[in-house]
Amino acid sequence: MKAVRLHRFGGPEVLQYETLPDPRPGAGEVLIRNQAAGVNPIDWKTRSGGGARPFLGEPPLILGWEFAGEVAEIGPEVSDWSEGRRVCGLLNFPHPGSCYADRVVARSSQLVALPDGVAPEVAAGLPIAGMTAWQALFEAAELESSHKVLVLAAAGGVGHLAVQLAHWKGATVVGTASPVNHAYLQELGCSQVVDYVSADLASAVQDCDLVIDGVGGQAGIEALGCLKPGGLLVTLPTVTADEVVKAAQEQGLKAQGIRVHEDPAQLATLLALVADGHLKPRVERTFALSEAAEAHRLSESGHARGKLILTMEG
Ligand SMILES: NC(=O)c1ccc[n+]([C@@H]2O[C@H](COP(=O)([O-])OP(=O)(O)OC[C@H]3O[C@@H](n4cnc5c(N)ncnc54)[C@H](OP(=O)(O)O)[C@@H]3O)[C@@H](O)[C@H]2O)c1
């Protein structure tokens, strides 16, 4: 198979495009002919030596936790999938998922069928960003149509899906973004968009039931000022979650961090929303697998709109 591996942690240049033996599906597993893999900020954070590194063991390692492709081979004791089925999934996060490869092995229970009309490049970007948005809005919080929700980094991978899901639920949605993204976010359903550079957020946005903090650190702490009494801030970047939660506690406010978890039924719900047009994942750019380093550079710039996707040549 073709895969991108890192042999040491470091800059984008440590990502190497290589030819490796195909993995074999064991009992209860399926081999996937992978067509697309999502790129997430956790990928470059991990590549740099942070992020999910404690869960991964020593290099060489294949990054990537989300994929979409076709079933190529069924392992022993698998009865629920057949060759050629179009599938996608979130694999083992934060333990190794190894999705930066054109062959991927998954447990059959991790697979979700792709609805007709949903392209692999679109589906591959949905598991992490889509389920993070869903779990923040509907598990950590219990978003209702009467609620007002503020999404920080609203044009990003998680943010643009959180905005659409909250709007679909009937909530009032406010987003933060650079001016270049304001019209886009209004199209997605934001009733107000705030430029996080020029505005004082706590003055511009008040009385929120929920804040989804896709930025973390000081931005998350400042957004506590947008909550109404009893409101909740869900902070996504795990590296700053403790400081945001501590700042909330000191002000008598509620905040919590989350870590996205596998939930194939939830992913199936998200895919159905995509298939019927209620959820429109935006693919900012696709890269060939061999260009993974370039995808990391763009992700690391912090200004992608929507998702970055690696596509497989084979
Ligand atoms: N805990 C978990 O399980 C979990 C899961 C997924 C993601 N995350 C974390 O959540 C964060 C967001 O993930 P993502 O995939 O959405 O990232 P992303 O796609 O890389 O986010 C890019 C967006 O961030 C915006 N942005 C950058 N700096 C900003 C600021 N100071 N204020 C407001 N917006 C800003 C940019 O907006 P403009 O271009 O408009 O400036 C851009 O649209 C990352 O730290 C990621 O690691 C955590």
Side-chain angles (χ1 to χ4, degrees):
M1 67 174 181
K2 297 294 186 191
V4 167
R5 287 203 299 185
L6 55 82
H7 294 260
R8 61 186 171 86
F9 297 97
E13 70 284 353
V14 303
L15 297 172
Q16 290 186 18
Y17 184 64
E18 299 177 345
T19 303
L20 298 171
D22 280 4
R24 306 292 309 155
E29 292 181 336
V30 167
L31 177 69
I32 311 294
R33 191 177 306 107
N34 192 18
Q35 293 168 315
V39 175
N40 291 280
I42 188 73
D43 300 5
W44 63 258
K45 293 175 187 177
T46 303
R47 187 213 69 224
S48 310
R53 180 178 179 175
F55 303 97
L56 294 184
E58 290 306 311
L61 296 165
I62 302 175
L63 292 174
W65 283 276
E66 54 184 5
F67 76 93
E70 284 181 1
V71 174
E73 189 183 335
I74 304 291
E77 298 165 33
V78 174
S79 56
D80 43 354
W81 297 100
S82 53
E83 286 177 25
R85 288 290 301 279
R86 291 173 0 105
V87 291
C88 83
L90 171 63
L91 298 187
N92 315 330
F93 184 76
H95 300 279
S98 304
C99 292
Y100 284 14
D102 65 8
R103 296 291 184 279
V104 167
V105 167
R107 293 193 302 281
S108 64
S109 58
Q110 295 176 303
L111 301 181
V112 178
L114 281 198
D116 288 345
V118 179
E121 296 78 21
V122 172
L126 201 57
I128 287 188
M131 288 202 282
T132 300
W134 185 282
Q135 289 165 19
L137 292 167
F138 305 127
E139 290 185 357
E142 293 176 6
L143 188 73
E144 295 175 8
S145 59
S146 60
H147 285 171
K148 178 174 176 180
V149 53
L150 167 65
V151 180
L152 306 188
V158 177
H160 85 296
L161 297 172
V163 165
Q164 293 178 68
L165 289 169
H167 181 64
W168 165 73
K169 188 72 179 175
T172 302
V173 191
V174 181
T176 66
S178 301
V180 69
N181 284 319
H182 287 200
Y184 169 65
L185 288 170
Q186 280 157 355
E187 277 169 36
L188 295 188
C190 283
S191 56
Q192 182 186 1
V193 188
V194 178
D195 176 3
Y196 58 85
V197 175
S198 62
D200 171 37
L201 196 57
S203 312
V205 187
Q206 285 160 356
D207 294 325
C208 291
D209 299 273
L210 175 62
V211 176
I212 306 294
D213 165 24
V215 181
Q218 196 53 33
I221 291 169
E222 284 170 17
L224 290 167
C226 304
L227 286 173
K228 73 182 198 188
L232 172 69
L233 182 142
V234 179
T235 186
L236 304 180
T238 45
V239 70
T240 57
D242 286 349
E243 67 183 89
V244 176
V245 170
K246 184 163 171 280
Q249 284 167 347
E250 285 166 0
Q251 297 175 51
L253 298 167
K254 286 193 291 182
Q256 71 174 84
I258 63 168
R259 184 161 75 204
V260 66
H261 59 87
E262 277 177 39
D263 187 336
Q266 191 176 84
L267 181 55
T269 300
L270 288 161
L271 285 163
L273 287 171
V274 174
D276 69 17
H278 284 106
L279 187 62
K280 295 186 172 63
R282 183 181 192 280
V283 177
E284 157 98 46
R285 205 169 140 191
T286 59
F287 298 82
L289 179 62
S290 56
E291 299 171 333
E294 206 46 48
H296 274 221
R297 285 188 189 97
L298 181 54
S299 177
E300 208 162 344
S301 77
H303 292 288
R305 183 195 282 183
K307 293 297 308 177
L308 306 178
I309 301 293
L310 301 177
T311 57
M312 310 301 150
E313 287 104 287

